[in-house]
Amino acid sequence: MSKKELIIKAAESVRELSARAMDYIWKHPQVGYTEWEANEYLIEKFEEMGYKLVRADQDERYGKIPGFYTDIDTGKEGPTLCIMGELDALDIANHPESVNGMCHSCGHCAQAATMLGIAAALKNEPAILEGLSGKIRLMLVPAEEMIQLAYRSQLIKDGVVSYMGGKVEFLHRGYFDDVDISLMVHSSNMGDKLDFTCGYGNNGCMSKVITYKGKSSHAGGAPHLGVNAQYAAMLGLQACNDLRETLQEKDTVRFHPIMKGVNCAVNIIPDEMVIESYVRGKTIEAMKRENKKFNRALAGAAAAIGCELHIDDKPGYSPEVHDKEYMELVQECCEELVGKDRVRFDYTSWSTGSSDFGDVTCVMPGVQFQAGGAIGTGHGIDYYLPEPERLLINSIKAQLLVADKLLSDDAAKAKSIIANYKPLFASIPEYLESISDLMLDKDVVEYSENGDVKLSLSK
């Protein structure tokens, strides 16, 4: 039996296990850094199979969060390939199958189930590892979706985490220190004609929590005694919109704020308005540059109305760039499985969405590709995963075949990709130091008694 045939057999042997896992996680959605139900379910399954886990909730150096990894050693020296799945769901209360206002309309339940499927497949057919060199690290990561920004910012202040996203947090915790190359697959709606797709990369992002603070008063009887935080917020967002024509499309910058609303009656001048937003961009430099302009506009609006303004900026995700040599290998594996006509890899396409897989590609070669089997709109109320066998089993087969191609022949392919890759940063510490420049957490408007106003927009 060829290695490909063995991989296919192993993947098909875990159909029921993977489908049950996806169904359980779909029915127990939780958002980033709170995914304890999926975490415990998967830990139990992995440990039942005899895997030794490194758990983020048992790492005494840091705060307790979900997520874990396990290493599968081939017994021969070589690079470490990390294959990842994500645990978190979305806040989307109007999805018909939401639970407590949350749903996996991101498809991460399939990724997590795929990791379990790969683990089980390797137990069922250990001969898959024959002829390979190095290690395979299976990793379940929390908090990919950049949501609930104020909550995550508080987690940072409380010392539970140091970063908003799960993968950069895992980088910080050292869980990637001995990883050389990474891989991930994401569910997608690509209809009936395609099974696998991949683009060249996507934007990075940074998070913003913007808090305008005014003064409440009677809206009818004494509005002159109040300072309207809502008006200041509206003016600030208008100023940011007026800057859009200064953005260059080559930087693919995106700014999309939401006003979180006021907590007062209609006859009270609002004394606080919180805004959450991202600044996305094709490069870290573009995000830094344009964010300064947005902050100046937001602060100027606060000064115009007489409000206080607190800006809490945090690094989110870095731009994700796929190594083309690695993409070619993944494409070859996908085509071997389903045929060339059902695979579409585009080596120039760029998405303006963001993923924390970009944090990983800043320091090592990585590819995140998509597998078909979803319907509806990603992050939408019509998103479902009605073809678990197609989605899960294709994902398991493809990633195992990629692992085999990378680590066969003394890991020749992996070694070539790693040697030729030019990461944006030479090391994880250098990367973390660079993104620290995105951090700002302070009141940025100062008023003096003589009426002067000072904007303080640096750290």
Side-chain angles (χ1 to χ4, degrees):
M1 184 179 293
S2 71
K3 186 63 76 71
K4 175 185 172 183
E5 290 170 333
L6 191 62
I7 287 171
I8 290 173
K9 177 186 175 184
E12 292 178 348
S13 74
V14 298
R15 285 178 182 273
E16 186 176 345
L17 173 72
S18 303
R20 283 201 309 267
M22 190 181 83
D23 182 65
Y24 177 89
I25 299 169
W26 172 271
K27 291 176 179 176
H28 297 81
Q30 293 174 299
V31 295
Y33 291 132
T34 72
E35 313 97 319
W36 294 110
E37 290 188 86
N39 188 66
E40 292 304 316
Y41 176 89
L42 291 166
I43 285 172
E44 180 181 342
K45 299 298 182 184
F46 269 80
E47 290 184 337
E48 283 176 357
M49 291 187 284
Y51 284 103
K52 182 179 180 181
L53 307 181
V54 176
R55 296 172 48 171
D57 64 343
Q58 293 182 345
D59 191 335
E60 295 181 356
R61 299 170 299 168
Y62 305 102
K64 292 184 178 182
I65 58 172
F68 61 89
Y69 70 83
T70 187
D71 283 340
I72 301 166
D73 197 337
T74 67
K76 297 180 181 179
E77 289 294 323
T80 296
L81 164 67
C82 183
I83 305 176
M84 284 171 276
E86 295 159 348
L87 294 167
D88 57 325
L90 285 163
D91 279 324
I92 183 165
N94 53 346
H95 192 287
E97 295 191 16
S98 69
V99 178
N100 298 322
M102 297 169 285
C103 182
H104 274 285
S105 52
C106 50
H108 293 175
C109 54
Q111 293 176 335
T114 295
M115 291 299 98
L116 180 63
I118 291 173
L122 291 172
K123 287 291 184 180
N124 292 347
E125 297 290 347
I128 290 173
L129 298 175
E130 291 180 6
L132 305 188
S133 298
K135 296 178 182 178
I136 299 172
R137 175 167 295 180
L138 302 181
M139 181 180 286
L140 276 298
V141 190
E144 189 276 334
E145 301 292 351
M146 183 63 68
I147 59 177
Q148 296 189 334
L149 303 185
Y151 167 71
R152 294 197 192 179
S153 183
Q154 189 60 49
L155 289 180
I156 292 173
K157 292 175 182 176
D158 292 343
V160 178
V161 298
S162 295
Y163 294 93
M164 304 289 272
K167 294 184 190 65
V168 66
E169 179 67 20
F170 272 28
L171 285 164
H172 164 68
R173 293 183 178 215
Y175 301 162
F176 285 93
D177 282 358
D178 51 354
V179 173
D180 303 288
I181 187 168
S182 55
L183 181 68
M184 203 170 132
V185 68
H186 200 291
S187 61
S188 180
N189 179 2
M190 53 188 75
D192 297 327
K193 295 183 179 180
L194 293 172
D195 286 314
F196 296 107
T197 63
C198 186
Y200 177 52
N202 49 256
N203 272 5
C205 71
M206 60 175 293
S207 76
K208 300 183 70 64
V209 180
I210 304 151
T211 305
Y212 285 94
K213 299 175 182 178
K215 182 180 179 182
S216 61
S217 67
H218 195 293
H224 58 288
L225 299 179
V227 179
N228 196 312
Q230 178 174 270
Y231 286 173
M234 293 166 63
L235 187 61
L237 294 186
Q238 181 61 55
C240 290
N241 282 329
D242 290 342
L243 288 169
R244 291 185 188 276
E245 66 179 21
T246 72
L247 308 179
Q248 299 183 68
E249 190 52 31
K250 67 181 179 66
D251 295 322
T252 59
V253 173
R254 300 291 186 269
F255 177 69
H256 42 88
I258 58 168
M259 301 174 74
K260 303 295 287 183
V262 297
N263 187 24
C264 67
V266 68
N267 61 350
I268 299 173
I269 298 293
D271 65 351
E272 183 175 277
M273 173 62 76
V274 177
I275 301 169
E276 291 187 358
S277 188
Y278 297 171
V279 175
R280 302 184 194 255
K282 196 168 188 177
T283 65
I284 294 174
E285 290 71 24
M287 290 190 291
K288 289 179 180 179
R289 182 184 67 244
E290 302 307 330
N291 184 58
K292 289 179 181 178
K293 291 160 60 173
F294 290 133
N295 280 350
R296 186 180 65 232
L298 294 165
I305 299 297
C307 275
E308 306 290 337
L309 174 62
H310 188 91
I311 294 179
D312 185 358
D313 287 346
K314 295 285 191 297
Y317 307 151
S318 291
E320 179 178 326
V321 181
H322 297 152
D323 176 72
K324 292 189 176 182
E325 181 183 356
Y326 192 6
M327 277 183 71
E328 289 170 356
L329 182 144
V330 176
Q331 181 178 1
E332 177 186 333
C333 292
C334 292
E335 290 176 351
E336 281 188 30
L337 287 171
V338 298
K340 290 185 177 181
D341 60 329
R342 299 192 64 81
V343 177
R344 182 178 298 159
F345 276 48
D346 188 328
Y347 290 77
T348 61
S349 68
W350 189 265
S351 167
T352 52
S354 305
S355 165
D356 62 353
F357 192 76
D359 298 292
V360 179
T361 66
C362 279
V363 295
M364 70 181 70
V367 172
Q368 178 177 199
F369 62 112
Q370 287 76 45
I375 60 172
T377 304
H379 292 210
I381 63 172
D382 60 344
Y383 194 82
Y384 289 93
L385 303 170
E387 298 182 85
E389 289 197 356
R390 173 190 174 200
L391 171 59
L392 296 173
I393 304 309
N394 274 351
S395 298
I396 294 167
K397 291 176 182 177
Q399 291 181 100
L400 284 174
L401 193 56
V402 170
D404 181 69
K405 297 278 188 184
L406 286 170
L407 302 180
S408 291
D409 301 321
D410 194 33
K413 287 286 190 181
K415 289 177 179 177
S416 172
I417 291 167
I418 294 163
N420 293 331
Y421 189 63
K422 295 180 174 56
L424 193 59
F425 299 93
S427 68
I428 293 173
E430 181 183 317
Y431 166 65
L432 295 175
E433 176 63 27
S434 174
I435 62 173
S436 69
D437 291 342
L438 294 168
M439 294 184 182
L440 180 70
D441 188 0
K442 62 182 294 189
D443 294 326
V444 299
V445 183
E446 300 174 8
Y447 298 93
S448 64
E449 291 183 0
N450 65 6
D452 289 343
V453 180
K454 179 183 176 181
L455 306 185
S456 179
L457 298 172
S458 58
K459 284 188 178 182

